[in-house]
């Protein structure tokens, strides 16, 4: 595509209305969308659905749309870190997506959380930098309560070990998470980061949740996040096990189905919010 096919500089779209970063237009993406970081995981997610097809593949953003039963669902990769994640969110919001679940891996920082466990994120410490470009840092990165409820219920139904709490969204994989950089490079703040966050009850380190949760709140979208633990930083253990690493995808797909059912129930009953009395 040549540059002269884009309509404007403030929010580039082509003559067919497709967004610049994800190359999708209205009707290409469902309301309900999973957000992995790795583009290669999108096809894996789609194979868990009843049907699915590739919509777009551009840079770090691969998008599939399909169905689970009668529900329309999509998945779009964000790439690693806040900047590319924000680009995907901007475009997804423009084409009509309003319910998002970030799915990924993380490193636990509490001793009782083991590799293979799941972490459902209720909120995130905003240290990734990107969300600061949207709102003052005192604004919280908080998961939507309905999405969190659906993730918990899905994890219970599938029988996976999970933990619920606050995470830490870092600006980088190494120094931003208190690891030394190349040749042992370090600053004093890196040495206290992990014990400080442990003392605060934070569960894990990762790189995207705060961006997803903050921007979604600002744009009145629902969002949550779930991670498979692949490392425990306290015990210095790392275990990327293909038999467990995709459990978060199973939980997220089921959570989306629950949200779809709950949305129908809310509409039927004329309610704005889900409640236990409405779904029991």
């Amino acid at each position: 595509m040549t540059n002269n096919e884009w309509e404007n500089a403030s929010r580039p779209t082509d003559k067919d209305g497709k967004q610049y970063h994800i190359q999708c237009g209205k009707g290409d993406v469902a309301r309900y969308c999973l957000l992995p970081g790795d583009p290669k995981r999108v096809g894996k997610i789609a194979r868990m659905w009843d049907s699915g097809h590739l919509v777009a593949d551009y840079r770090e953003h691969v998008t599939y749309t399909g169905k689970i039963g009668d529900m329309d669902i999509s998945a779009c990769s964000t790439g690693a870190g806040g900047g590319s994640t924000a680009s995907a969110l901007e475009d997804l919001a423009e084409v009509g997506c309003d319910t998002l679940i970030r799915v990924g891996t993380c490193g636990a920082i509490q001793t009782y959380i083991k590799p293979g466990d799941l972490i459902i994120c209720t909120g995130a410490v905003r240290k990734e930098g990107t969300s600061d470009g949207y709102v003052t840092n005192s604004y919280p990165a908080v998961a939507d309560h309905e999405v969190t409820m659906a993730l918990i219920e899905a994890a219970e139904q599938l029988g996976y070990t999970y933990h619920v709490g606050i995470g830490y969204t870092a600006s980088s994989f190494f120094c931003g998470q208190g690891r030394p950089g190349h040749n042992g490079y370090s600053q004093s703040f890196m040495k206290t980061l992990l014990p400080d966050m442990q003392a605060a009850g934070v569960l894990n380190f990762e790189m995207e949740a705060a961006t997803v949760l903050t921007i979604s709140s600002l744009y009145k979208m629902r969002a949550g996040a779930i991670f498979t633990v692949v490392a425990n930083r306290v015990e210095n253990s790392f275990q990327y096990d293909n038999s467990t690493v995709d459990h978060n995808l199973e939980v997220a797909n089921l959570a989306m189905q629950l949200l779809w059912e709950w949305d129908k129930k809310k509409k039927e009953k004329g309610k704005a919010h889900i409640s236990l009395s409405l779904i029991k």
Side-chain angles (χ1 to χ4, degrees), residues 63-279:
T63 304
Y64 275 70
T65 292
K67 282 185 173 290
I68 301 176
D70 292 330
M71 178 186 69
D72 295 317
I73 188 168
S74 294
C76 176
S77 57
T78 63
S84 60
T85 297
S87 296
L89 287 170
E90 288 280 359
D91 287 2
L92 289 168
E94 284 292 308
V95 300
C97 181
D98 65 14
T99 302
L100 306 161
I101 298 178
R102 162 77 184 133
V103 290
T105 56
C106 72
I109 64 173
Q110 301 293 341
T111 56
Y112 61 87
I113 302 176
K114 306 302 180 185
D117 290 358
L118 301 177
I119 292 177
I120 296 170
C121 179
T122 58
V125 180
R126 288 175 50 196
K127 285 294 186 178
E128 90 291 8
T130 300
S131 59
D132 290 348
Y134 283 80
V135 67
T136 176
N137 196 258
S138 58
Y139 185 92
V142 181
D144 177 84
H145 69 284
E146 292 185 351
V147 179
T148 301
M149 286 174 60
L151 287 168
I152 292 171
E153 178 61 26
E156 284 286 345
Q157 289 189 21
L158 292 170
Y160 295 140
T161 299
Y162 67 94
H163 311 270
V164 181
I166 296 170
Y168 182 104
T169 304
S171 59
S172 66
F173 187 79
F174 290 101
C175 295
Q177 298 184 31
R179 294 181 173 101
H182 175 62
N183 281 338
Y185 172 80
S186 184
Q187 293 275 306
S188 59
F189 76 89
M190 300 176 198
K191 296 178 175 63
T192 62
L193 177 58
L194 193 151
D196 285 350
M197 291 301 100
Q198 278 184 295
V202 171
L203 301 187
N204 65 301
F205 287 143
E206 52 79 46
M207 294 172 58
E208 294 83 22
T211 302
V212 172
L213 301 182
T214 302
I215 295 176
S216 294
S217 293
L218 293 172
Y219 290 177
K220 295 179 172 54
M221 300 188 290
R222 298 182 298 185
I226 183 168
F227 304 98
T228 299
V229 176
V230 297
N232 187 293
R233 291 287 305 283
V234 185
E235 299 177 350
N236 197 29
S237 60
F238 189 94
Q239 181 181 325
Y240 195 99
D241 186 344
N242 287 325
S243 67
T244 60
V245 77
D246 292 333
H247 287 172
N248 61 350
L249 305 182
E250 298 174 43
V251 172
N253 275 320
L254 179 53
M256 284 300 199
Q257 295 173 71
L258 293 170
L259 287 163
W260 179 68
E261 292 287 351
W262 295 352
D263 288 345
K264 291 193 295 180
K265 182 70 71 173
K266 287 188 297 183
K267 184 176 182 180
E268 174 189 328
K269 299 295 184 180
K271 299 291 186 180
H273 304 286
I274 202 65
S275 64
L276 294 178
S277 62
L278 204 62
I279 58 178

Side-chain angles (χ1 to χ4, degrees), residues 22-41:
I22 65 171
Q23 300 281 293
C24 296
K26 291 185 177 178
D28 290 334
V29 181
R31 284 184 59 192
Y32 308 91
C33 187
L34 272 58
L35 303 174
D38 184 356
K40 293 179 181 178
R41 297 192 84 203

